[in-house]
Amino acid sequence: MSINRKLGDLANVLDDGTEGQVLSFNASGAIAAADIAAGGGIEKDYKYNGILYPQNGTSRLYLSSDVTLNEVVANIEVGPVGSDLDLRINKNDSSATTLTIADSSTSATITPNISFVSGDYITVDITSVGSSTAGTNLHMALKFS
């Protein structure tokens, strides 16, 4: 079952309804004031609730206009222990950039400056989570202009 929700003029989200799917982009009927990033750009959230485990993301953020991903800020409630937590941000199913939250840390920021055109989409894969303790409750803010 597919759910397609309008996010104003920026994007649509498609969740393929896979059982156990816990990675998701936030969605609403229109772009809210909270979606406006500093400097007038658009900000969208990506969340994973619970203990993290390696997986490929299936929830897609479809872009309906030409935009640039300028910044990604990731925070987790409990940091990974024993090794880093690694995330891969994909553009149309191909790796576009990675983000690493260091062992025992709870946040990281990258400035990838990746250009997208209308119809492109983003997915997020969790590629590693910590070797002795996995991180929990991931929240990412994707900032576009």
Side-chain angles (χ1 to χ4, degrees):
M1 176 179 178
S2 293
I3 300 169
N4 198 13
R5 296 173 277 193
K6 183 74 175 157
L7 297 178
D9 292 332
L10 176 68
N12 290 324
V13 171
L14 176 69
D15 181 345
D16 70 1
T18 303
E19 181 141 346
Q21 175 67 28
V22 289
L23 294 167
S24 63
F25 286 98
N26 70 337
S28 63
I31 294 175
D35 295 330
I36 306 300
I42 303 298
E43 182 174 319
K44 295 312 302 174
D45 294 333
Y46 192 73
K47 295 180 181 179
Y48 178 110
N49 295 317
I51 297 171
L52 303 174
Y53 61 92
Q55 63 178 295
N56 292 328
T58 58
S59 185
R60 294 179 177 183
L61 175 66
Y62 281 93
L63 304 172
S64 60
S65 60
D66 297 356
V67 294
T68 299
L69 178 60
N70 296 316
E71 184 177 41
V72 180
V73 178
N75 294 285
I76 54 177
E77 212 170 278
V78 174
V81 176
S83 63
D84 299 340
L85 184 143
D86 293 308
L87 305 167
R88 180 175 45 236
I89 299 169
N90 304 304
K91 174 182 175 181
N92 303 328
D93 289 329
S94 295
S95 179
T97 191
T98 58
L99 183 144
T100 298
I101 298 177
D103 182 359
S104 301
S105 296
T106 58
S107 65
T109 301
I110 59 171
T111 54
N113 294 316
I114 301 168
S115 296
F116 294 87
V117 297
S118 180
D120 285 346
Y121 62 88
I122 296 172
T123 58
V124 178
D125 301 336
I126 301 173
T127 58
S128 66
V129 295
S131 58
S132 60
T133 301
T136 61
N137 297 329
L138 169 66
H139 176 259
M140 293 173 53
L142 289 80
K143 299 178 182 183
F144 299 89
S145 64

